[in-house]
Amino acid sequence: MSVLIRNARVIDGTGAPAEACLDVRVDGDEITAVGAGLDAGGASVVDADGLALMPGIVDTHTHYDAQITWDADLTPSPALGVTTAVIGNCGFTIAPCREADRDLVMRNLTQVEGMSIEVLRGGIRWDFETVPEYLDMIAAGRTRINVAAFVGHSAVRTYVMKDAAVERAANDDEIAEMRRIVADAMAAGAIGFSTSTAPQHNGDGGVPMPSRLADDRELAALVGAMAESGRGVFMLTKGNRTDVPYLEELAAAAGRPVMIAALLHNSTNPTGTFDELEQIAAARARGRELWGQVSCCPLTMDFTIASAYPFESLKAWAPAMKTGRDALPGLLADSAFRDAVKAELAEPAGVRLFNGEWEKLEIVEVARAANAAVEGRTIAELAAEAGAQPLDWMLDFAIGEGLETVFTAVLLNSDVDAVGRMIRDPNASVALSDAGAHLTFFCDAGFGLHLMGHWSRDLGVLPLEAAVRELTAKPAEIFRIPGRGRVAPGYKADLLLFDPDTVGRGPKRRVFDLPGGAPRLTTDAVGVEGVWVNGRQIADAGEALDGAPMPGRLLRYFNP
Ligand SMILES: [Zn+2]
């Protein structure tokens, strides 16, 4: 099957200047020629009409591990221009998993994925136990876009340690067993090893995600097991304990790239991320390949007080995660609980999501029609009017609405100058869509379109060619993905045709299409005219094509 895309403005992914009036020929799954006035010879012709053609977006921070088992489309990423998704970030994978531990693994995921246990129970297809079996299942099934998968620390730990995975450090035998699993996963084609030490990563009932219980010895052993394969990226979402100098030691011992998430700008600690980027720069100058993973989206979350993710990294909030729904209003009304939360918010910020910026927290949707007047207003204003302390006002209001009020908080990454600086930092990689996770809290699956539209075109923070490189060739190089991320002969035909004058992501909206009709947030593509994966068109003018092919592949061979 051959396609000739005629008269495109080609942005090839390397950062080189765009070239107008070029034709791109695709034979089978590969780009075979790029040039002016190519012969159509037997190919079907698509007239690009001067629009821009770039490599498909490589989204290196997603969480489709569960969803991919019931939704081979990986909705909504393909329509948003993503042609390769790396799953299994932060250590949150569903493989390996024994039948007896499935509920344990699912309960751990509910909190961090923003999906209910019913969605996961109803949705996940458990046709595997080990990581190699999970990879084979994806490879044998058909997916809309290409997928690469991390072996995830929390699942590995649960597999070896069962309930003790969330209680204690591992002993020598357990570490040896975990090392074997990581090594087998790498041999079977995992893209690397992922973990999290971040305090906001909690499972059901507020128990920490298993990886948070690992000590330095365990982490070094598992990163070492990955490195012995001669391949792999070590990715982690970082908490306070694993600072950059410590990660540099790990990188030095392993000789592998380390992707450090999530560097988000915090207005209450404005130099924090820049200090870390400087430490990363210094480590890179010493020959360690460290990268800071940054986001080009403000971290905005919708939430209810019954599932208040922005507050869940506070130690003082832990009792609320352990308390059942019926007893929760009583706890939230308790002054000792409130005093503890207020005291912790008054401490200087370490790694946490909400930092007491009440002017950035507002009411989106009330539960009682009589309260409609407060929709769209901030907690800072409403509390000031009532002469109340903001936390007290918010909790009292939520209790009065049966904890069903929907709030939204602009938590981090909202300072335009600071985020612009982070995006341009040569030690940073723009990613962090978290697509497939936090589904009721936010949707940044369209981050690539946002980088090109908002940051490049509207704000002029970086040239379009640089934005395209950031989304394509650069992540492909960092993650050692061969043959993708460029528009050039010999590369796989993963392509995105778009209008630079309009490209962007639409407003967020709620849809109810998860298993059992559960809700998730999504956004639509703007200015996308076509998406191809391995030479086959999968989306048209911003929409996934009905009945389109499933040309995605499991990527399991990586450069050293
Ligand atoms: Zn993540």
Side-chain angles (χ1 to χ4, degrees):
M1 202 181 234
S2 302
V3 184
L4 188 75
I5 303 174
R6 246 204 217 303
N7 186 23
R9 187 177 151 217
V10 172
I11 304 173
D12 72 1
T14 65
E19 258 191 277
C21 307
L22 289 184
D23 300 345
V24 173
R25 186 178 171 111
V26 174
D27 291 293
D29 64 356
E30 209 169 281
I31 297 166
T32 50
V34 179
L38 295 182
D39 183 15
S44 58
V45 175
V46 174
D47 186 359
D49 210 13
L51 292 172
L53 186 69
M54 64 178 272
I57 294 166
V58 179
D59 185 347
T60 59
H61 192 130
T62 82
H63 290 281
Y64 284 118
D65 301 69
Q67 185 179 327
I68 195 173
T69 74
W70 72 77
D71 171 32
D73 283 336
L74 283 71
T75 312
S77 288
L80 295 161
V82 174
T83 55
T84 296
V86 179
I87 66 174
N89 277 271
C90 312
F92 309 152
T93 56
I94 59 173
C97 183
R98 286 189 195 84
E99 194 171 349
D101 300 329
R102 287 176 187 168
D103 228 60
L104 188 60
V105 166
M106 287 190 285
R107 276 188 278 118
N108 278 335
L109 286 179
T110 54
Q111 208 94 349
V112 292
E113 305 269 278
M115 288 188 225
S116 70
I117 189 76
E118 289 75 27
V119 170
L120 294 170
R121 281 189 186 133
I124 298 178
R125 191 159 46 82
W126 292 98
D127 293 348
F128 60 89
E129 177 177 315
T130 65
V131 177
E133 286 167 3
Y134 177 79
L135 296 178
D136 286 344
M137 180 188 79
I138 295 174
R142 296 152 69 84
T143 50
R144 190 72 77 190
I145 60 176
N146 305 308
V147 175
F150 279 108
V151 48
H153 193 176
S154 281
V156 172
R157 211 165 198 271
T158 300
Y159 190 82
V160 172
M161 299 174 69
K162 305 258 172 27
D163 294 311
V166 294
E167 289 161 3
R168 60 170 172 83
N171 62 36
D172 288 348
D173 289 347
E174 289 161 342
I175 291 176
E177 175 67 8
M178 285 191 256
R179 278 182 54 91
R180 262 195 299 280
I181 294 170
V182 171
D184 286 350
M186 291 307 298
I191 195 168
F193 171 70
S194 69
T195 191
S196 165
T197 55
Q200 70 270 25
H201 285 156
N202 299 295
D204 184 46
V207 295
M209 287 302 281
S211 61
R212 290 178 51 199
L213 278 289
D215 57 16
D216 292 354
R217 201 169 61 107
E218 175 180 337
L219 258 187
L222 300 185
V223 174
M226 175 197 84
E228 279 165 22
S229 73
R231 286 177 166 68
V233 175
F234 169 48
M235 116 24 90
L236 90 165
T237 295
K238 184 171 89 49
N240 294 316
R241 181 173 72 79
T242 44
D243 57 13
V244 176
Y246 167 75
L247 295 170
E248 182 181 354
E249 278 173 39
L250 274 184
R256 299 301 314 164
V258 179
M259 180 56 72
I260 305 169
L263 302 192
L264 297 164
H265 185 256
N266 182 342
S267 310
T268 66
N269 177 19
T271 63
T273 43
F274 296 110
D275 296 344
E276 289 181 329
L277 283 166
E278 262 173 45
Q279 290 177 314
I280 290 171
R284 290 168 62 87
R286 290 185 282 268
R288 326 292 186 214
E289 190 179 342
L290 266 51
W291 293 95
Q293 197 170 63
V294 303
S295 169
C296 65
C297 304
L299 183 62
T300 303
M301 281 196 179
D302 287 9
F303 66 98
T304 66
I305 295 297
S307 181
Y309 195 86
F311 289 85
E312 290 177 357
S313 58
L314 298 173
K315 284 188 207 75
W317 198 266
M321 288 192 278
K322 290 195 190 91
T323 304
R325 190 68 159 74
D326 293 344
L328 190 54
L331 173 76
L332 296 171
D334 178 63
S335 59
F337 170 80
R338 291 183 179 190
D339 288 347
V341 174
K342 289 174 200 168
E344 193 171 344
L345 282 174
E347 290 167 15
V351 174
R352 67 184 182 208
L353 293 175
F354 180 66
N355 294 284
E357 297 174 283
W358 299 102
E359 69 285 358
K360 293 183 179 174
L361 206 165
E362 64 179 52
I363 296 179
V364 191
E365 204 177 303
V366 295
R368 304 219 152 91
N371 290 330
V374 302
E375 283 183 0
R377 302 198 59 203
T378 71
I379 303 304
E381 285 167 5
L382 292 163
E385 269 174 31
Q389 195 280 343
L391 179 77
D392 289 331
W393 191 92
M394 177 181 75
L395 294 180
D396 288 340
F397 185 82
I399 293 166
E401 291 212 313
L403 305 186
E404 281 169 19
T405 317
V406 181
F407 297 89
T408 195
V410 181
L411 296 165
L412 299 167
N413 238 35
S414 57
D415 181 313
V416 171
D417 293 335
V419 176
R421 232 176 104 193
M422 289 164 64
I423 289 172
R424 285 194 311 261
D425 192 296
N427 309 294
S429 171
V430 178
L432 274 181
S433 78
D434 262 331
H438 309 304
L439 293 189
T440 53
F441 302 124
F442 65 87
C443 177
D444 288 340
F447 81 103
L449 306 182
H450 190 60
L451 184 69
M452 294 193 288
H454 178 72
W455 290 103
S456 175
R457 182 194 57 233
D458 297 345
L459 300 181
V461 161
L462 71 177
L464 183 57
E465 289 88 343
V468 168
R469 176 175 176 269
E470 193 63 44
L471 300 167
T472 58
K474 182 170 159 184
E477 282 159 25
I478 296 172
F479 283 80
R480 314 305 202 249
I481 299 171
R484 296 185 192 272
R486 289 177 60 179
V487 180
Y491 278 75
K492 295 294 179 199
D494 296 341
L495 297 165
L496 169 54
L497 182 67
F498 69 101
D499 182 351
D501 292 336
T502 59
V503 69
R505 59 170 180 175
K508 70 181 173 192
R509 59 192 176 86
R510 220 176 309 173
V511 292
F512 298 83
D513 60 0
L514 289 175
R520 66 178 172 96
L521 289 167
T522 191
T523 56
D524 296 321
V526 178
V528 168
E529 297 295 326
V531 182
W532 287 260
V533 172
N534 294 312
R536 308 289 301 274
Q537 189 170 4
I538 58 153
D540 203 353
E543 304 243 346
L545 290 173
D546 266 349
M550 288 288 203
R553 303 220 179 102
L554 174 71
L555 309 183
R556 56 199 325 182
Y557 303 99
F558 302 100
N559 292 328

